[in-house]
Amino acid sequence: MLARTFAAQNGLKVENVAVYAGSSEPLHYSVLAFTSPTKSFVTADPSYEAGMYAAKTSQAKVVKVPLTADCAHDVKAMVKADAQAGVIYICNPNNPTGTLTTKQDIVWALENKPAGSVLLVDEAYIHLTDAQDTLDLVAAGKDLIVLRTFSKIYGMAGIRCGFAVARPDLLAKLTPFGQNAMPITGSAAARASLEDTSLVPERRKIIGDTRRDTIGWLRANGYKVIGDPQTNCFMIDTGRNGKAVFAAMKARNVLIGRTWPIWPNAVRVSVGTPEEMAKFKVAFKDVMDAKPLVLGDHVQHAELDYHATL
């Protein structure tokens, strides 16, 4: 019933929808199915890293392509990056930047990608934006797999539910890798969420208003927010060692996200409640006004403590 409800709402056939306990499983299985020692995994940098870990399992070459100047996926560079690509991964909106890649660019990538490759479009955060999704491209029979999760705007990270949406022949290539049992609580909660037409717009507005307020405050105070974030996360170029900023914020009882190797001075921030973001503002200004910390053992331990909570 869950797959049928989602399909009916999105102009799809039920055979286009595979239900999983979250979207992590189909993300990994898609990479395992379509990459190999001779078929690479192409991804943006920075972006969500889970696909790279799966590519290591399949012994595939990982090709990282920097984002464009406005923090979109550089689809032309990604398509040209490797003629033997197996998967081109587009996280849209992107994690960690919260920025968008246009539907036009995704269509271009589909039309120009290497023969035999697939686009893996991760739409975990799509509900937090007004952007066009790519489900119609699945309905049109294109070479892509779209991932959806109930862990973000639906708030079901602990219950687990997600979808892989694609042509049946593409979905069939994921099945040999198995599937965790889908909890009945996850199925019931996911279907109830889909049928509640007010849930997404209400939460999108609450999160969007808080994000815009926080980013407005940051920019008004001279801090550099990267790109034009549209989701519940954004990155700040702190101009100093990001791990040290993370540790200093943790010392003030405000936990922010980590850095990415390509941007060691940038930290990821998730949007909380207005009250939480008010505390973030106070702590962040305090940290940035203080003398920068020297990266040391206490910073490394703080980072390890953070990863242990993920």
Side-chain angles (χ1 to χ4, degrees), residues 246-247 250 295-308:
F246 169 87
K250 183 179 181 183
L295 186 63
D297 289 342
H298 63 292
V299 177
Q300 298 289 356
H301 290 320
E303 185 189 20
L304 290 172
D305 289 344
Y306 165 71
H307 283 295

Side-chain angles (χ1 to χ4, degrees), residues 84-153:
Q84 299 302 314
V87 170
I88 299 175
Y89 175 67
I90 298 177
C91 184
N92 193 42
N94 190 39
N95 176 11
T97 56
T99 50
L100 289 168
T101 297
T102 67
K103 176 83 168 284
Q104 181 180 2
D105 277 351
I106 294 174
V107 171
W108 187 94
L110 271 174
E111 293 174 345
N112 292 276
K113 66 178 181 59
S117 65
V118 297
L119 253 61
L120 182 58
V121 183
D122 190 340
E123 294 186 341
Y125 296 89
I126 195 72
H127 301 96
L128 290 153
T129 78
D130 294 319
Q132 290 181 294
D133 63 38
T134 55
L135 295 179
D136 62 315
L137 300 175
V138 173
K142 302 296 183 180
D143 294 332
L144 81 162
I145 299 171
V146 179
L147 302 176
R148 289 291 183 88
T149 182
F150 287 81
S151 295
K152 307 306 178 186
I153 202 166

